[in-house]
């Protein structure tokens, strides 16, 4: 039939006999040919010429089949039967009905070709004849060991290929078997035992071989078939479950299907390399296994062994013997085999579990269950044989966010293992790749497993990419394993664009507090664990990783984290089931209250509970009792609040009309100066547009105004506020400005120019942070007065000099804020100088006077640099509190103190030309102090010795980075959250009126202005005052967005760089300073 010349005759005989023996490998092709032959014979003999072409195609098909057909070699074994017990009787009955195996000549040839192909590929498998099959008289106990009995035969592989369960192919010139497999697990709990369905033995009815399986249910996935269909087919044929029964009693979670790649040597096929896809699913019972309807099915309800006879084409094919096996027993058996394997490869298995070593159970779970690592046989270092190498593929995920102008990264600081052990760690989010999975997109799985986030939260709140920031490989000994590990690490960056998203509160955001996440299932030997996470600061461009803080910040941070942990723990289902959520809620409330108190520690220290003075007194509500409480409060506490203060009754706060007769005569003034207005209008026009400019050049203003610069600038920014707030004539305010200017000395740095600049920068910061619009009138005026007066009578020496030289001021103020106390005292001396009608506070109520004094004193004393970092620390803590608001006077005062402190060193954030001039002046003043200390025989203060100048650029750069920058960064952080901090200001006091209100006049109309300084003084109508206030308000409208960060901080960073780049300029400054010392 194979010869082309005799094909017609073979075709005719095939038509007549309706049968033609064919080799199974080409049966399909020959059937097609026969059908074609029949059709051609019936129609016309002329068509027989096409048979030659068909015959050629048939031959080509046979050759292709021979080239692509492959098998696997096993070990030879004798036929065996099921062990005594379940399935033996069923097997005997099946065997009696099974026909004797007959092999056609063509089939035998196909098997021989298949075997030849296997041998060519280095694989040897037994033939059925080698198993010495002896019919029904099988020697049940004559089989060899289970490993030999489990081998497949060439005929088995042939049948598998014909069923399209697998196919053979060459890959890289290596013979491989390709098959897709679905593996079904049946977990069940009977009593206290956790059991799993396992196929113990598989008996071939065709040739009587009994193979040891000890595997879950497995079935091949055929082409054009999904894993679910293959699973249902296996449940029906191998377990004996009808489709209706499956639908009623079984439940499969399709989403939980685990898909992995197969690439391993198959022992049952003699080591033939098998590739493909493995689908792993779990099948759960819908009802109770003890249900009466399940009795007799699958060995239920007792978990008995059972057997199922699989039929193929209506004939018995294989007998499957199933057992319900204890999960733990089965696992222990596998661990024992794993231990033997490790020992055979020279691994010191006795080291497992010793000291910091992982246990053998943990290592087995890692390699064979979670598959977080793999073992590879590599040539040994000595060149003798092979050794094992542990391979671990990791993805490191850098989760980053920007919290309050500071970049932070998420790190795990502690881990609590399932055995109760606690591990100190410091690592970012790390994810172990399983089963050779790709690192791309693994960061999402890492966040889900390690942080417990949902896919929706990850998609909405995190921004990542599949771009690898860094890849590295290393090989070293691991501390937890007695063998070397090959590490493959991919690093990926993931950003959180909106840390204040509500879904991220469980991650400690936006406050950046620590939190706890759970990985896996907690419980003994369940390999779950708890992670403690914290947000750590990243180095900035200057290399700084931590801000300089105090113990107060650390304490508040600990309280915040403890509060967050208590809240998170109280929401756990297990905690709620025990009724512990309510106590934990009370604990979190107490922690929050303590943290709020700590956030305003100064006020907390001043709070004294005086209710005890009333307990037990019959006259607790009497005037005497209240008087005692007032006495104790005002005498023995720092609470200086004055209650029930009478308001002067002789004052009227109704809008009044200003009489021009009260203003000084222009002729009288011009009689001294001889000019129209001394150029005041021109100077005012220069000042007003510059109110919103951070880099206002006051050196140029000094040249334009000569010695009257403070008075001119004060008239623009203070007079409109003071006259409307204090209800005094403008002349009184101008007289006050004159007294302030006369109390500034001609120092290189601490002079009137510095006072005006601090006033300007302080106001600019208050406006930028949106504090100014929430301030009361007396607070605005008080801030301006404090800024103008903050360095009155400064004589160019610092507090350290005063203390070291036993200066009278140091003795007066007990070495505490010496100069600052003096400045404050000088300020109030200027406020109260002159007759009563010449004093700025003459028309204020007692209550407002006390509030004004407290405000000014607080701001001036805050300029003491010895409390610089303490003030920054308190400010950080206070701003981080949820209760902070501009509607509270204490919060407005706190921000005001930080603004005046920043303004005091604000030259550091001015443009380079101005900053350089101020820096030279301050160094010059330092050197003058050092010269005096040298002359007095005192130790020369730091940075004050002109003979030890050192690197001026580096010292100035360090001053900017470590002293100035932290303060401005905190103001920048406040700027970020200013929208949440805004509130409604308090109700105004008795003195607060509209800014544009007109003012009552002194009965005398006196101005309090000396004739010597009358050149700069010109009477101004009330309309001019109102217009000046309006001009000042409109000037602030041109401020840029986020001005503190975009203007101040950025400029300061540039200046720090300039001190290193501008070498020639810095050297020129140093030479000038040295020359002045020599002169």
């Amino acid at each position: 039939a194979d010869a082309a010349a005799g094909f017609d005759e073979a075709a005719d005989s095939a038509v007549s006999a309706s049968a033609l023996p064919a080799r199974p490998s080409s049966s399909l092709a020959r059937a097609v040919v026969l059908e074609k032959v029949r059709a051609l014979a019936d129609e016309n003999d002329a068509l027989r010429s096409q048979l030659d072409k068909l015959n050629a195609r048939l031959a080509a098909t046979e050759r292709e089949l021979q080239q692509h057909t492959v098998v696997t070699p096993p070990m030879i074994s004798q036929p065996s039967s099921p062990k005594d017990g379940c399935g033996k009787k069923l097997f005997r009955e099946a065997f009696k009905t099974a026909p004797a195996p007959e092999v056609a000549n063509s089939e035998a040839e196909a098997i021989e070709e298949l075997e030849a192909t296997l041998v060519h590929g280095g694989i040897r498998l037994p033939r059925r004849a080698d198993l010495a099959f002896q019919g029904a008289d099988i020697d049940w106990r004559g089989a060899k060991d289970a490993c030999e009995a489990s081998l497949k035969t060439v005929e088995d592989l042939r049948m598998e290929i014909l069923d399209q369960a697998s196919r053979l192919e060459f890959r890289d010139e290596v013979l491989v078997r390709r098959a897709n497999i679905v593996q079904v697990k049946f977990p069940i709990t009977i009593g206290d035992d956790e059991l799993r369905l396992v196929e113990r033995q598989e008996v071939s009815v065709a040739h009587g071989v009994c193979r040891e399986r000890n595997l879950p249910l497995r079935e091949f996935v055929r082409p054009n078939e999904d894993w679910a269909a293959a699973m249902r087919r296996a449940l029906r044929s191998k377990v004996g479950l009808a489709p209706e029964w499956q639908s009623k009693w079984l439940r499969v979670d399709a989403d939980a299907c685990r898909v992995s790649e197969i690439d391993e040597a198959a022992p049952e096929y003699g080591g033939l390399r098998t590739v493909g896809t493995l689908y792993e699913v779990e099948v759960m019972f819908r009802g109770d296994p003890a249900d009466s309807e399940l009795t007799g099915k699958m060995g239920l309800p007792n978990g008995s062994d059972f057997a199922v006879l699989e039929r193929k084409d209506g004939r018995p094919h294989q007998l499957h013997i199933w057992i319900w096996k204890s999960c733990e027993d089965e696992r222990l058996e596998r661990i024992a085999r794993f231990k033997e394997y490790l020992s055979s490869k020279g691994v010191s298995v006795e080291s497992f579990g010793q000291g910091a070593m992982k246990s053998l159970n943990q290592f087995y779970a890692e390699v064979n269950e979670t598959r977080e690592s793999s073992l590879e046989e590599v040539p040994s270092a000595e060149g003798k044989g092979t050794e094992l190498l542990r391979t671990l593929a990791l993805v490191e995920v850098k989760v980053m966010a920007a919290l309050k102008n500071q970049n932070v990264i998420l790190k795990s600081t502690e881990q609590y293992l399932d055995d109760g052990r606690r591990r100190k760690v410091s690592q970012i989010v790390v994810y172990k790749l399983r089963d050779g999975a790709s690192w791309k997109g693994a960061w999402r799985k890492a966040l889900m497993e390690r942080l417990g986030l949902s896919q929706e939260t990850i998609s909405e709140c995190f921004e990542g990419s599949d771009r690898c920031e860094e890849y590295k490989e290393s090989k070293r000994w691991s501390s937890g394993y007695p063998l070397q590990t090959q590490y493959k690490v991919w690093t990926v960056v993931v950003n959180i664009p909106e840390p204040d998203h509500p879904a991220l509160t469980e991650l400690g955001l936006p406050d950046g507090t620590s939190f706890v996440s759970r990985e896996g299932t907690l419980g003994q030997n369940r390999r779950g664990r708890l992670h403690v996470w914290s947000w750590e600061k990243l180095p900035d461009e200057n290399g700084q990783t931590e801000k300089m803080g105090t113990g107060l910040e650390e304490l508040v941070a600990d309280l915040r984290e403890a509060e967050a942990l208590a809240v998170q723990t109280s929401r756990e289902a297990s905690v709620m089931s025990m009724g512990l959520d309510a106590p934990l809620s009370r604990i979190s409330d107490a922690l929050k209250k303590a943290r709020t108190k700590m956030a305003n520690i100064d006020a907390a220290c001043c709070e004294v509970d005086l209710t005890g003075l009333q307990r037990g007194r019959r006259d607790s509500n009497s005037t005497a009792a209240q008087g005692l409480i007032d006495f104790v409060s005002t005498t023995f506490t720092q609470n200086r609040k004055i209650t029930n203060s009478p308001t002067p009754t002789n004052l009227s706060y109704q809008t009044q009309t200003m009489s021009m007769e009260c203003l000084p005569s222009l002729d009288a003034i011009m009689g001294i100066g001889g000019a129209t207005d001394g150029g005041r209008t021109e100077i005012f026009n220069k000042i007003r547009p510059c109110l919103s400019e951070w880099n206002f050049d006051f050196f140029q203003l000094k040249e334009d105004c000569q010695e009257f610069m403070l008075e001119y600038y004060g008239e623009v920014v203070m007079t409109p506020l003071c006259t409307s707030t204090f209800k005094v004539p403008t002349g009184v305010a101008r007289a006050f400005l004159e007294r302030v200017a006369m109390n500034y000395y001609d120092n290189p740095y601490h002079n009137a120019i510095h006072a005006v600049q601090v006033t300007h920068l302080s106001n600019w910061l208050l406006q930028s942070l949106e504090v100014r619009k929430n301030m009361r009138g007396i607070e605005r005026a008080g801030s301006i007065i404090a800024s103008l007066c903050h360095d009155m009578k400064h004589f160019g020496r610092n507090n350290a000099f005063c203390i070291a030289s036993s200066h009278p001021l140091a003795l007066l103020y007990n070495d505490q804020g010496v100069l600052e106390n003096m400045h404050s005292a000088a300020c109030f001396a200027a406020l109260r100088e002159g007759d009563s009608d010449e004093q700025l506070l003459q028309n204020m109520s007692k209550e407002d006077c006390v509030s004004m004094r407290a405000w000014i004193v607080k701001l001036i004393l805050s300029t003491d640099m010895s409390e610089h970092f303490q003030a920054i620390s308190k400010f950080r803590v206070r701003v981080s509190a949820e209760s902070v608001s501009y509607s509270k006077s204490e919060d407005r005062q706190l921000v005001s103190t930080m603004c005046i402190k920043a303004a005091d060193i604000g030259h550091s954030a001015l443009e380079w030309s101005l900053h350089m001039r101020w820096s030279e002046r301050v160094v010059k003043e330092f050197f003058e102090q050092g010269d005096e200390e040298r002359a007095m025989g005192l130790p020369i203060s730091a940075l004050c010795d002109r003979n030890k100048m050192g690197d001026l650029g580096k010292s100035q750069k360090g001053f900017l980075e470590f002293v100035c920058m932290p303060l401005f960064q905190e103001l920048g952080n406040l700027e970020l959250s200013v929208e949440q901090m805004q509130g409604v200001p308090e109700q105004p006091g008795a003195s607060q009126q509209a800014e544009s209100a007109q003012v009552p006049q002194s009965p005398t109309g006196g101005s309090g202005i000396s004739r010597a300084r009358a050149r700069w003084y010109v009477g101004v109508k009330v309309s001019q005052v109102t217009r000046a206030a309006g001009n000042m308000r409109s000037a602030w409208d041109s401020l840029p967005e986020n001005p503190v960060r975009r203007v101040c901080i950025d400029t300061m960073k540039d200046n720090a760089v300039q001190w290193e780049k501008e070498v020639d300029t810095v050297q020129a400054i140093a030479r000038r300073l040295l020359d002045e010392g020599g002169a």
Side-chain angles (χ1 to χ4, degrees):
D2 293 337
F7 189 84
D8 291 347
E9 183 180 354
D12 292 337
S13 62
V15 172
S16 61
S18 299
L20 177 67
R23 290 162 52 183
S25 60
S26 59
S27 59
L28 180 60
R30 288 189 174 276
V32 173
V33 171
L34 289 175
E35 291 297 327
K36 292 288 185 181
V37 169
R38 292 190 184 97
L40 291 173
D42 293 338
E43 292 180 4
N44 197 328
D45 294 338
L47 298 176
R48 289 182 176 272
S49 61
Q50 298 185 13
L51 290 177
D52 294 336
K53 297 180 181 180
L54 295 173
N55 189 49
R57 292 178 58 188
L58 173 63
T61 303
E62 289 179 345
R63 286 193 299 272
E64 290 179 4
L65 288 173
Q66 292 175 2
Q67 293 176 1
H68 292 84
T69 308
V70 190
V71 213
T72 17
M75 301 162 56
I76 308 302
S77 66
Q78 295 295 329
S80 60
S81 69
K83 295 181 180 180
D84 295 338
C86 179
K88 182 174 181 180
K89 181 178 179 181
L90 187 61
F91 172 78
R92 289 187 181 275
E93 293 176 355
F95 175 77
K96 290 178 181 180
T97 60
E102 296 180 0
V103 181
N105 292 333
S106 57
E107 177 69 10
E109 292 176 4
I111 292 176
E112 289 177 0
E113 292 178 6
L114 179 58
E115 185 175 22
T117 306
L118 290 172
V119 172
H120 178 72
I123 304 297
R124 291 186 179 275
L125 287 180
R127 299 284 292 272
R128 288 181 180 175
D130 298 331
L131 300 178
F133 180 69
Q134 299 176 3
D137 299 327
I138 295 177
D139 182 7
W140 291 97
R141 303 185 185 278
K144 292 186 178 181
D145 58 64
C147 180
E148 292 179 340
S150 65
L151 292 178
K152 299 283 188 177
T153 64
V154 179
E155 290 84 353
D156 291 333
L157 182 58
R158 169 81 174 157
M159 187 63 66
E160 190 178 289
I161 295 172
L162 291 177
D163 288 344
Q164 297 184 331
S166 67
R167 70 176 187 270
L168 300 179
E169 61 186 37
F170 282 94
R171 193 168 75 173
D172 299 331
E173 299 183 356
V174 177
L175 190 62
V176 297
R177 167 177 168 261
R178 179 170 294 278
N180 297 331
I181 300 173
V182 58
Q183 178 172 287
V184 184
K185 296 181 180 180
F186 269 94
I188 191 173
T189 301
I190 299 180
D192 296 332
D193 298 329
E194 292 185 2
L195 306 177
R196 191 160 62 91
L197 186 63
V198 174
E199 185 180 13
R200 181 180 179 184
Q201 292 173 311
E202 177 188 84
V203 183
S204 175
V205 177
H207 50 78
V209 174
C210 177
R211 297 184 179 90
E212 294 290 334
R213 296 280 291 169
N214 289 316
L215 291 172
L217 172 63
R218 280 193 167 199
E219 183 58 277
F220 294 105
V221 181
R222 295 170 179 170
N224 301 322
E225 182 184 44
D226 60 8
W227 64 266
M231 177 195 67
R232 290 191 294 269
R233 176 165 48 82
L235 290 173
R236 181 181 67 253
S237 61
K238 295 183 177 182
V239 189
L241 303 178
E244 299 78 12
W245 196 93
Q246 295 180 33
S247 301
K248 181 177 180 180
W249 292 102
L250 301 183
R251 175 173 54 85
V252 181
D253 186 0
D255 296 334
C257 176
R258 179 181 175 184
V259 182
S260 60
E261 296 299 321
I262 306 173
D263 190 354
E264 60 188 9
E268 66 270 24
Y269 288 97
L272 177 62
R273 185 177 174 188
T274 301
V275 297
T277 304
L278 176 65
Y279 303 91
E280 298 179 81
V281 295
E282 279 193 359
V283 176
M284 311 295 293
F285 283 98
R286 293 184 184 274
D288 187 353
D291 194 298
S292 59
E293 293 190 37
L294 298 179
T295 302
K297 283 286 188 181
M298 303 177 67
L300 300 177
N302 299 324
S304 304
D305 299 354
F306 64 97
V308 176
L309 179 62
E310 179 185 4
R311 294 180 177 273
K312 191 169 186 180
D313 299 329
R315 296 182 297 179
H317 175 56
Q318 284 181 333
L319 181 67
H320 303 277
I321 300 175
W322 301 94
I323 64 172
W324 290 100
K325 195 169 186 177
S326 169
C327 296
E328 188 60 30
D329 292 343
E330 182 186 4
R331 188 170 184 271
L332 292 176
E333 292 176 6
R334 293 197 300 267
I335 292 176
R337 292 194 295 269
F338 182 68
K339 181 178 180 181
E340 293 176 1
Y341 172 71
L342 294 178
S343 182
S344 66
K345 296 300 179 181
V347 179
S348 177
V349 293
E350 294 79 11
S351 302
F352 285 106
Q354 302 295 325
M357 287 284 183
K358 299 277 188 179
S359 67
L360 183 61
N361 289 354
Q362 291 174 321
F363 188 38
Y364 171 81
E366 178 186 291
V367 174
N368 295 284
E369 294 177 349
T370 61
R371 302 191 182 183
E372 295 173 345
S373 66
S374 60
L375 294 178
E376 181 182 357
E377 295 186 15
V378 296
S380 62
E382 295 79 11
K384 299 179 181 179
T386 60
E387 63 181 8
L388 288 180
L389 177 67
R390 173 175 172 260
T391 302
L392 189 63
L394 303 173
V395 174
E396 292 183 340
V397 184
K398 293 183 177 179
V399 182
M400 302 172 62
L403 304 181
K404 298 181 179 179
N405 205 29
Q406 177 68 47
N407 292 327
V408 295
I409 186 171
L410 185 63
K411 283 192 175 183
S412 175
T413 57
E414 291 179 309
Q415 293 180 358
Y416 291 86
L417 308 182
D418 58 353
D419 56 3
R421 287 184 299 160
R422 173 189 178 190
R423 293 174 54 192
K424 283 280 188 179
V425 295
S426 179
Q427 63 183 21
I428 58 179
V429 179
V430 179
Y431 178 74
K432 297 179 180 178
L433 295 176
R434 299 175 176 88
D435 294 335
S438 172
W439 63 270
K440 294 184 177 181
W443 63 269
R444 296 179 178 86
K445 297 180 181 178
L447 298 184
M448 291 175 64
E449 290 192 9
R450 287 300 181 93
L451 304 182
L453 299 175
S454 64
Q455 292 182 356
E456 294 76 12
T457 301
I458 294 174
S459 301
E460 187 175 355
C461 303
F462 293 82
E463 289 183 354
S465 67
D466 289 334
R467 185 181 65 84
C468 178
E469 184 186 53
E470 181 184 7
Y471 173 76
K472 55 187 177 182
E473 286 190 17
S474 62
K475 182 180 177 181
R476 62 181 184 271
W477 288 91
S478 177
S479 59
Y481 305 89
L483 70 165
Q484 284 189 312
T485 301
Q486 176 81 20
Y487 292 93
K488 301 178 181 179
V489 183
W490 291 266
T491 303
V492 180
V493 176
V494 176
N495 293 304
I496 301 178
E498 298 180 8
D500 56 348
H501 194 283
L504 300 178
T505 54
E506 294 185 359
L507 300 188
L509 297 176
D511 295 328
T513 58
S514 298
F515 63 96
V516 177
S517 69
R518 179 175 59 193
E519 180 183 6
T521 304
L522 301 180
Q524 189 68 22
N525 298 326
R526 295 192 176 184
R527 297 186 294 278
R529 63 182 59 187
L530 293 176
H531 298 273
V532 180
W533 301 92
S534 65
W535 294 95
E536 298 186 4
K537 299 177 179 65
L538 283 174
D540 56 19
E541 56 268 28
N542 298 320
Q544 291 181 268
T545 57
E546 293 289 341
K547 298 180 181 179
M548 290 173 284
T550 63
L552 174 63
E553 291 179 74
E554 183 178 356
L555 175 59
V556 173
D558 290 342
L559 288 174
R560 184 185 295 110
E561 292 179 4
E563 177 192 344
L565 290 176
V567 172
Q568 185 177 1
T569 306
S570 66
R571 296 173 180 172
E572 290 286 339
S574 57
V575 172
M576 297 175 68
S577 63
M578 293 185 289
L580 298 177
D581 53 328
L584 283 172
S585 298
R586 290 195 295 271
I587 292 174
S588 63
D589 292 341
L591 290 171
K592 182 177 182 180
K593 183 178 179 181
R595 181 168 59 85
T596 304
K597 291 285 188 181
M598 294 299 297
N600 197 2
I601 189 170
D602 290 337
C605 293
C606 295
E607 290 181 4
V608 180
D609 186 7
L610 301 179
T611 56
L613 295 175
Q614 294 179 315
R615 297 193 187 103
R617 295 177 59 96
R618 297 179 180 178
D619 58 345
S620 58
N621 296 322
S622 64
T623 304
Q626 186 61 44
L628 176 62
I629 294 175
D630 292 342
F631 171 76
V632 174
S633 175
T634 56
T635 307
F636 299 101
T637 72
Q638 296 184 6
N639 187 356
R640 295 289 184 257
K641 184 180 291 185
I642 297 180
T643 59
N644 301 325
S645 175
T647 302
T649 57
N650 59 338
L651 296 178
S652 173
Y653 294 100
Q654 303 298 323
T655 303
Q656 300 181 26
T657 305
M658 176 182 257
S659 172
M660 294 302 298
E661 298 176 358
C662 300
L663 295 175
S665 167
L666 180 61
D667 294 337
I669 296 175
M670 300 314 299
I672 301 174
T676 55
D677 68 349
R680 293 173 66 257
T681 302
E682 180 181 355
I683 294 174
F684 287 163
N685 292 335
K686 288 182 179 180
I687 294 176
R688 291 189 185 110
C690 296
L691 291 178
S692 61
E693 293 183 10
W694 172 259
N695 292 294
F696 194 164
D697 188 353
F698 285 98
F699 294 112
Q700 182 62 45
L701 183 64
K702 171 67 174 177
E703 295 179 4
D704 296 340
C705 302
Q706 298 301 324
E707 70 271 22
F708 306 120
M709 183 190 67
L710 188 147
E711 294 93 320
Y712 278 123
Y713 188 84
E715 183 173 346
V716 174
V717 300
M718 191 191 81
T719 301
L721 296 174
C722 290
T723 53
S724 61
T725 300
F726 301 132
K727 305 300 183 291
V728 295
T730 57
V732 176
R734 292 177 179 176
F736 169 73
L737 291 174
E738 177 192 9
R739 292 192 291 269
V740 172
M742 294 177 64
N743 280 281
Y744 273 98
Y745 307 144
D746 191 18
N747 300 313
Y749 182 80
H750 292 95
N751 49 37
I753 308 177
H754 171 71
V756 173
Q757 177 156 278
V758 170
T759 304
H760 177 76
L761 299 184
S762 177
N763 268 331
W764 190 93
L765 290 170
L766 288 172
Q767 184 69 20
S768 301
L769 297 173
E770 301 190 23
V771 187
R772 192 171 180 273
K773 67 181 182 180
N774 290 281
M775 296 171 70
R776 299 173 57 194
I778 59 173
E779 293 171 350
R780 295 187 191 182
S783 296
I784 293 177
I785 292 174
S787 301
L788 287 171
C789 302
H790 83 282
D791 274 336
M792 283 180 64
K793 294 190 176 181
H794 200 296
F795 48 91
R797 305 294 181 264
N798 59 21
N799 285 335
F801 174 86
C802 296
I803 296 171
S805 62
S806 298
H807 194 281
L809 289 175
L811 300 178
L812 176 64
Y813 297 115
N814 298 312
D815 298 343
Q816 301 296 316
V818 177
L819 292 176
E820 289 71 31
N821 278 291
M822 181 264 290
H823 301 324
S824 179
C827 171
F828 282 94
L831 284 171
R832 297 182 179 181
E833 185 176 340
D835 297 334
S836 59
D837 58 351
E838 297 176 348
Q839 296 177 7
L840 194 62
L841 310 182
Q842 57 182 285
N843 291 330
M844 292 184 64
S845 67
K846 184 67 173 180
E847 180 182 2
D848 287 342
C849 282
V850 171
S851 298
M852 169 70 77
R853 174 172 169 78
W855 188 275
I856 295 175
V857 170
K858 182 70 174 179
L859 264 60
I860 294 179
L861 295 185
S862 69
T863 60
D864 185 357
M865 285 300 169
S866 66
E867 299 180 355
H868 181 74
F869 294 108
Q870 179 182 348
I872 294 176
S873 176
K874 289 182 179 180
F875 183 70
R876 284 195 197 120
V877 172
R878 181 59 185 159
V879 170
S880 65
E882 292 85 347
S883 59
V884 68
S885 172
Y886 285 164
S887 64
K888 298 179 180 179
S889 177
E890 60 269 22
D891 289 337
R892 296 196 299 272
Q893 186 181 68
L894 176 62
V895 178
S896 298
T897 60
M898 298 303 290
C899 288
I900 194 173
K901 284 179 66 66
D904 201 16
I905 55 176
H907 71 85
S908 60
L910 296 176
E911 61 184 22
W912 170 248
S913 59
L914 298 175
H915 167 61
M916 183 181 59
R917 293 184 67 179
W918 280 113
S919 299
E920 182 177 357
R921 284 170 170 264
V922 73
V923 174
K924 180 180 180 180
E925 189 169 298
F926 283 173
F927 285 170
E928 290 179 356
Q929 175 178 315
D931 295 341
E932 185 172 355
E933 289 172 333
R934 184 183 294 106
M936 297 176 64
L938 298 174
I940 300 179
S941 300
L943 302 180
C944 294
D945 192 346
R946 69 174 71 246
N947 298 328
K948 298 179 181 180
M949 181 182 299
D951 192 331
L952 179 62
K954 285 186 177 180
S955 64
Q956 290 298 315
K957 181 175 182 290
F959 175 75
L960 298 186
E961 292 178 344
F962 297 103
V963 177
C964 304
M965 184 61 75
L967 176 55
F968 277 88
Q969 282 180 336
E970 293 309 318
L971 292 178
N973 293 339
L974 175 64
E975 187 179 52
L976 289 174
S977 57
V978 70
E979 293 182 1
Q980 289 76 23
M981 293 181 56
Q982 289 181 359
V984 181
E986 295 171 341
Q987 293 298 321
S991 66
Q992 185 179 10
Q993 302 293 329
E995 294 284 339
S996 59
Q998 298 172 351
V999 298
Q1001 300 302 310
S1002 168
T1004 61
S1007 65
I1009 303 298
S1010 63
R1011 296 177 63 85
R1013 300 181 63 82
R1015 180 183 300 276
W1016 68 273
Y1017 176 86
V1018 177
V1020 183
K1021 297 180 180 180
V1022 174
S1023 59
Q1024 290 177 288
V1025 176
T1026 306
R1027 185 167 59 253
N1031 291 338
M1032 187 167 65
R1033 282 194 293 271
S1034 62
W1036 294 118
D1037 297 337
S1038 58
L1039 282 175
E1041 184 180 0
N1042 300 325
V1044 176
R1045 287 173 292 152
R1046 295 190 178 184
V1047 178
C1048 306
I1049 296 178
D1050 290 348
T1051 304
M1052 189 181 301
K1053 291 178 180 178
D1054 294 339
N1055 289 339
V1057 175
Q1058 290 294 330
W1059 279 112
E1060 288 187 337
K1061 291 177 60 177
E1062 299 288 340
V1063 179
D1064 295 339
T1065 303
V1066 174
Q1067 290 178 351
I1069 295 174
R1071 284 194 297 270
R1072 285 198 298 269
L1073 293 172
L1074 291 175
D1075 293 343
E1076 291 176 1

